[in-house]
Amino acid sequence: MNAAEERLQEVLAAFDFGAPVVGALRYGQGHINDTFVVHTQPEDRCCRRFILQRMSAAAFKHPDELMENIIGVTEYLGREIAKHGGDRSREAMEVLRPRNGESFFTDSAGGAWRVYPFVERTICYQSAESEELFAASGRAFGRFQRLLGDYPAQTLHETIPNFHNTEDRLQKFKAALAADPLGRAKDCGPEIQFVLDREADCSVALNAMREGTLPLRVTHNDTKLNNVLMDEETHEGLCIIDLDTVMPGLVIYDFGDSIRFGANHSAEDERDLSKVNLDVELFSAYTAAFLEGAGGSLTNEEIDYLPWGAKLMTLECGIRFLTDYIDGDHYFHISREAQNLDRCRTQFKLVADMESRWAELEAIVRQYQK
Ligand code: ADP
Ligand code: GN1
Ligand code: MG
């Protein structure tokens, strides 16, 4: 058994899965945590599965605070869902505590691990295969926003400080550029210039927040299509996952990050940029569905700023990929060389598309003003 397998055995033994474990395999396509699916075999029933994750130490400095947020939010969502006649066990995540009763397990090398029951009969999509599917994810994220509308935001820890503070992301980019530890800056001249040309944009949402135009709410902050599990039968968004970044934020962040990832027909790391195009029809369908799910709770100002949410989340994510590329790929998992630079390029292509179709995006959201 190698060291990684030994570690996995140590971790599996720390949890009571209610039946013997018959296997644990790498799972999913997240960029941050190390995810495994655990198969168990109860005597009298068919296999039960669990998601086991080592939380990223690069991303999350305080796993105890992170898990406190997740337990608070999942229990609250569970109660709200049950109150509205939903199925708590499928529509909200649940934490399976380790045998020691804590919210997560720390292995002998210091890794922090947690377990969730696997939400079965669902599909996790990597791209919007249809407009209906993308709209369903929008309804689910809008509903998530509504369900957490009265959650006491001040009790949430900031799991990644300044997560969507685009000004701070810009400063971190400049610091990485100045250090340029691997001499990679010379390979990304146009991308660096693309960021520098949009320095003022990085303050647009923050200024609106500081002026009191945009209110702070409890937001998910990582609303990629692959962070919602779709019901296999109804094809509706069933369960919102990846709650690591649930924190106080702006609603336009949640809207915008979904558009960034989903309102196009290419992979986030597509190398052929001619395939990377903002799909305005998808933007429109998502807008309608997100606002439907949010149940009329957004203000006119928030609706006004939705295109800015899309542009800023896309620009910011591109800046983050570029920063990580220049830094040496310490944050986002990569499976090939220059993947973070490729990811950056798709984001900037989408930003350029949004800029050229800005009037259309504004006209779409304007229809929803009250
Ligand atoms: P990351 O932060 O690395 O993206 P996620 O929490 O999103 O990690 O999990 C990675 C993948 O694991 C998801 O995209 C999804 O496919 C799967 N997954 C996570 N939690 C569950 C769950 N409770 N039930 C079923 N699949 C899950
Ligand atoms: C990460 O965890 P995952 O893969 O859902 C990242 C997001 C980025 C996204 C880009 C905690 O999301 O902020 O937008 O990659 N999550 C974290 O794909 O940094
Ligand atoms: Mg994820």
Side-chain angles (χ1 to χ4, degrees):
M1 218 189 283
N2 65 30
E5 282 163 6
E6 267 176 35
R7 177 114 335 112
L8 196 56
Q9 292 311 318
E10 176 196 356
V11 174
L12 289 170
F15 291 86
D16 178 3
F17 293 98
V21 171
V22 291
L25 301 166
R26 285 255 171 202
Y27 190 78
Q29 298 192 33
H31 294 341
I32 302 296
N33 297 305
D34 290 325
T35 302
F36 298 81
V37 59
V38 177
H39 294 249
T40 69
Q41 187 57 70
E43 262 174 27
D44 50 341
R45 280 177 296 133
C46 65
C47 165
R48 266 192 83 195
R49 300 193 289 175
F50 295 84
I51 288 285
L52 168 69
Q53 285 180 322
R54 174 167 43 204
M55 292 171 257
S56 162
F60 306 110
K61 305 298 174 205
H62 302 287
D64 49 337
E65 295 184 355
L66 167 63
M67 290 309 293
E68 201 179 306
N69 277 5
I70 291 191
I71 287 180
V73 167
T74 50
E75 288 182 351
Y76 184 92
L77 281 173
R79 284 193 296 276
E80 287 298 304
I81 285 163
K83 221 193 288 175
H84 294 97
D87 178 352
R88 192 253 172 272
S89 70
R90 299 194 73 226
E91 294 175 34
M93 303 265 277
E94 216 169 329
V95 174
L96 178 80
R97 290 174 184 267
R99 293 179 200 272
N100 65 14
E102 309 274 329
S103 55
F104 65 98
F105 174 71
T106 307
D107 70 31
S108 47
W113 299 77
R114 62 170 171 224
V115 170
Y116 301 116
F118 194 102
V119 182
E120 299 289 354
R121 303 189 308 284
T122 57
I123 306 175
C124 178
Y125 288 94
Q126 300 303 324
S127 70
E129 291 179 4
S130 69
E131 192 174 301
E132 291 72 30
L133 178 79
F134 192 44
S137 78
R139 264 191 300 281
F141 280 120
R143 177 164 175 259
F144 182 83
Q145 174 65 236
R146 181 159 47 85
L147 288 175
L148 288 174
D150 291 327
Y151 191 88
Q154 69 287 357
T155 62
L156 286 170
H157 301 284
E158 210 180 342
T159 53
I160 301 181
N162 293 319
F163 189 59
H164 283 318
N165 181 329
T166 315
E167 290 170 351
D168 186 65
R169 295 291 186 184
L170 178 69
Q171 291 319 315
K172 288 185 171 126
F173 160 73
K174 287 183 177 172
L177 194 55
D180 193 18
L182 302 174
R184 288 180 170 181
K186 64 176 180 341
D187 309 329
C188 22
E191 289 75 23
I192 292 168
Q193 195 54 47
F194 191 93
V195 179
L196 298 177
D197 288 346
R198 286 160 183 78
E199 189 156 350
D201 290 348
C202 296
S203 297
V204 168
L206 292 165
N207 282 340
M209 185 184 75
R210 289 186 283 251
E211 287 158 7
T213 309
L214 296 177
L216 267 187
R217 297 176 181 271
V218 175
T219 48
H220 181 285
N221 296 307
D222 188 4
T223 53
K224 295 203 289 199
L225 183 66
N226 64 12
N227 284 333
V228 49
L229 301 177
M230 315 299 289
D231 189 297
E232 205 174 72
E233 272 168 34
T234 65
H235 306 289
E236 275 301 315
L238 183 76
C239 182
I240 303 290
I241 61 169
D242 206 344
L243 305 176
D244 297 329
T245 50
V246 174
M247 290 182 269
L250 301 179
V251 76
I252 65 168
Y253 297 158
D254 278 5
F255 173 84
D257 197 51
S258 293
I259 298 298
R260 172 192 81 71
F261 188 80
N264 71 83
H265 300 279
S266 58
E268 200 176 52
D269 61 352
E270 174 60 57
R271 276 184 275 200
D272 178 355
L273 291 182
S274 70
K275 292 188 185 153
V276 183
N277 300 298
L278 176 75
D279 183 329
V280 176
E281 297 293 317
L282 287 179
F283 178 94
S284 179
Y286 191 92
T287 304
F290 183 78
L291 294 175
E292 182 193 333
S297 60
L298 269 62
T299 65
N300 276 344
E301 287 78 12
E302 288 178 305
I303 294 173
D304 244 352
Y305 273 87
L306 291 177
W308 271 108
K311 176 169 161 179
L312 284 173
M313 288 300 95
T314 315
L315 177 65
E316 179 189 283
C317 198
I319 295 174
R320 293 173 63 197
F321 287 141
L322 186 57
T323 305
D324 201 34
Y325 175 69
I326 293 172
D327 262 346
D329 307 307
H330 298 303
Y331 188 87
F332 294 106
H333 292 333
I334 53 164
S335 53
R336 60 174 156 80
E337 228 174 275
Q339 193 173 17
N340 276 321
L341 181 57
D342 294 334
R343 288 172 176 152
C344 157
R345 289 179 172 149
T346 64
Q347 302 307 290
F348 290 172
K349 172 75 193 303
L350 290 170
V351 170
D353 270 11
M354 289 174 195
E355 288 172 346
S356 68
R357 306 191 68 174
W358 196 250
E360 286 172 75
L361 305 186
E362 285 192 326
I364 290 167
V365 305
R366 216 172 296 125
Q367 299 167 49
Y368 298 95
Q369 299 282 9
K370 289 168 257 188

